[in-house]
Amino acid sequence: MDKRRLRTALGRFTTGVTIVSTVGEGGQWAGLTVSSFSSLSLEPPLVLWSLRLESPSLAAFEHNPRFAVNVLGEAQIGLSRRFASSHEHRFGEGEWVLGGHGAPVLNDAVAVFECETVSRQDAGDHRLYIGRVLHFTEHAHAPLLYRSGHYHQLGEVI
Ligand SMILES: Cc1cc2nc3c(=O)[nH]c(=O)nc-3n(C[C@H](O)[C@H](O)[C@H](O)COP(=O)(O)O)c2cc1C
């Protein structure tokens, strides 16, 4: 299989952009930019996302079953870049507070899903997390989109 072409083909699938966050064992906040987020089930309410097995953030998500998925708006492209970089103080930008369910939440996100991990499975070089939604908020802000390695804005309704 031609890996480069596969990557190109997969990149044509357009996604939203989220920051998935939690609190690690020492109380430190952990989070990263994630586009593998997806809705899974309404009854019961389940979502999924996947994390690179080599991620330094893995220990925090293994320690704490509570996490939050913060869906980014088009004005939050800087946050997406920051949480995908090696920046040491990722939470130093944006209005972050500790949510009622034990994970950091972004105040002006398009949507926030506060979750509890109910299942994990390793698949290839990633760990798949399935979480039950405990609480959510949403706003009608325009979302940030990601396609083929570039950020995009939402186009017209067709
Ligand atoms: C738009 C976008 C989507 C991403 N989606 C994921 C993802 O779903 N899972 C993942 O493990 N990394 C994803 N990444 C990469 C991580 O955000 C990046 O490697 C980050 O530095 C990981 O944090 P860590 O160093 O704490 O592991 C994505 C990056 C970008 C820019």
Side-chain angles (χ1 to χ4, degrees):
M1 180 156 315
D2 183 334
K3 271 197 203 157
R4 218 165 56 108
R5 281 191 55 228
L6 176 61
R7 186 190 281 260
T8 302
L10 291 171
R12 296 200 189 280
F13 181 63
T14 306
T15 66
V17 182
T18 74
I19 293 172
V20 182
S21 56
T22 192
V23 178
E25 192 168 9
Q28 82 286 2
W29 290 10
L32 72 155
T33 302
V34 162
S35 61
S36 55
F37 169 72
S38 181
S39 59
L40 181 60
S41 163
L42 271 182
E43 191 52 59
L46 300 175
V47 298
L48 66 80
W49 67 286
S50 64
L51 177 62
R52 193 170 51 95
L53 280 172
E54 285 179 2
S55 167
S57 300
L58 188 90
F61 289 101
E62 285 306 296
H63 163 74
N64 190 351
R66 298 292 177 91
F67 67 89
V69 180
N70 302 273
V71 179
L72 299 185
E74 60 184 27
Q76 292 164 329
I77 189 169
L79 280 176
S80 176
R81 292 202 168 110
R82 188 181 182 104
F83 278 77
S85 75
S86 55
H87 204 293
E88 278 189 20
H89 303 290
R90 289 183 181 170
F91 291 91
E93 181 188 331
E95 257 187 63
W96 292 94
V97 295
L98 188 63
H101 295 273
V105 301
L106 180 62
N107 263 344
D108 50 354
V110 171
V112 176
F113 302 94
E114 292 178 79
C115 304
E116 178 160 57
T117 297
V118 293
S119 175
R120 304 171 166 83
Q121 184 175 330
D122 288 354
D125 52 9
H126 278 63
R127 180 161 298 174
L128 180 66
Y129 288 92
I130 295 177
R132 186 186 181 102
V133 180
L134 305 173
H135 183 256
F136 67 93
T137 56
E138 53 91 20
H139 298 99
H141 305 326
L144 180 62
L145 305 183
Y146 194 69
R147 176 182 181 272
S148 298
H150 298 282
Y151 293 100
H152 294 261
Q153 293 175 320
L154 202 60
E156 299 303 313
V157 175
I158 56 169

